[in-house]
Amino acid sequence: MKQFLLVVMMCFAMNSFAQTEFGKKFKPIAPLNNKVAPKKVTPSVSAQAPVIKAPDLLKKPEQTLPSFSKYEIGQTKSFSMEQTNEFANPGDRVMEKMTKDLNKTLVREGLKEDDRFLVKIDKNFGEIRTKSKYFVVQYRDYISIDGDLIKATINNQMIGGIMELYSSYGQFVFNLNEGFNVFEMEAFSKGSSGGNTCEFKIYDDHGVLVRSEYWDNWDKGVKGKFVIIKE
């Protein structure tokens, strides 16, 4: 019993000493605040979700065409097999008009033949009376040199072959029979610029000019005839 009381008293004494020793000097330290405060983030405009407008399924969609179109809604372009110049080069129309104007000028000035006025009927140049033994015929193209060809015959016999006309004179000679002789000159071709054109002069055996004639814008195959009577 004494021992028990002794122990109780010792414990009481130690407790009193401890309270007296640390009661005035000891101040407890508060624990550190280690909790991390959350960072406040302000959402930017780009992060916002886009506004999506749902289509109205009951509304009929509007029909529009580009501003450069010349057609309107409900109009259709008529179909045609006819060739048009919708996409033609404007320069081609100018060149075509210039060509037509130039052709008209050349025809008017006598520098070009016009196919619309081709002579298609043979011509009789009449009768020639002479005592000459032969005739000399000079011939040339008096308008444009475009490849005109002629053929000459005396009493159905060809003279000198097929002859081409140039600006300078060519010539051929044929003999005359006693009595009637039929002399013909034929436009053997058309030139590249129109009908056949020819100027010719007929001389006797003394160099005297007997007849001077010409033809203008003859079609291929047209003939000019002379009846020559040798007296």
Side-chain angles (χ1 to χ4, degrees), residues 40-218:
K40 188 176 181 180
V41 179
T42 303
S44 62
V45 178
S46 60
Q48 293 180 357
V51 178
I52 300 176
K53 185 178 179 181
D56 188 351
L57 300 180
L58 300 179
K59 184 179 179 181
K60 186 177 180 180
E62 296 181 357
Q63 294 178 334
T64 59
L65 287 177
S67 59
F68 56 80
S69 175
K70 64 180 179 179
Y71 301 108
E72 296 179 0
I73 299 301
Q75 289 185 343
T76 57
K77 185 177 180 182
S78 58
F79 175 77
S80 174
M81 295 293 291
E82 223 175 284
Q83 185 177 3
T84 63
N85 60 351
E86 182 178 356
F87 302 103
N89 184 355
D92 294 341
R93 292 195 293 270
V94 175
M95 288 299 298
E96 182 179 355
K97 184 178 184 304
M98 290 177 62
T99 301
K100 289 181 179 179
D101 292 344
L102 177 60
N103 288 337
K104 289 180 181 178
T105 302
L106 292 175
V107 171
R108 184 172 61 249
E109 298 297 328
L111 300 175
K112 183 176 180 180
E113 302 86 6
D114 192 337
D115 283 348
R116 294 176 299 173
F117 306 106
L118 282 173
V119 176
K120 298 179 180 293
I121 301 174
D122 292 347
K123 181 175 181 178
N124 189 341
F125 286 105
E127 183 180 290
I128 301 176
R129 292 181 175 270
T130 183
K131 295 181 179 180
S132 179
K133 295 180 181 179
Y134 60 85
F135 275 169
V136 177
V137 179
Q138 294 184 346
Y139 59 90
R140 73 184 183 100
D141 191 334
Y142 66 96
I143 297 185
S144 59
I145 311 306
D146 56 350
D148 289 346
L149 303 174
I150 64 170
K151 182 176 74 171
T153 60
I154 179 69
N155 300 323
N156 292 325
Q157 298 295 318
M158 184 181 295
I159 305 170
I162 306 301
M163 294 163 281
E164 186 170 359
L165 303 181
Y166 299 98
S167 58
S168 57
Y169 285 101
Q171 73 176 33
F172 57 86
V173 180
F174 60 89
N175 294 321
L176 295 171
N177 298 330
E178 295 291 334
F180 285 89
N181 297 269
V182 177
F183 171 58
E184 289 183 324
M185 293 180 66
E186 176 183 345
F188 194 74
S189 72
K190 289 194 307 177
S192 59
S193 63
N196 196 305
T197 52
C198 178
E199 178 187 11
F200 54 96
K201 299 177 180 180
I202 301 175
Y203 297 88
D204 64 12
D205 54 3
H206 296 290
V208 177
L209 180 63
V210 177
R211 182 76 65 88
S212 177
E213 295 286 354
Y214 74 95
W215 68 62
D216 182 19
N217 208 27
W218 280 18

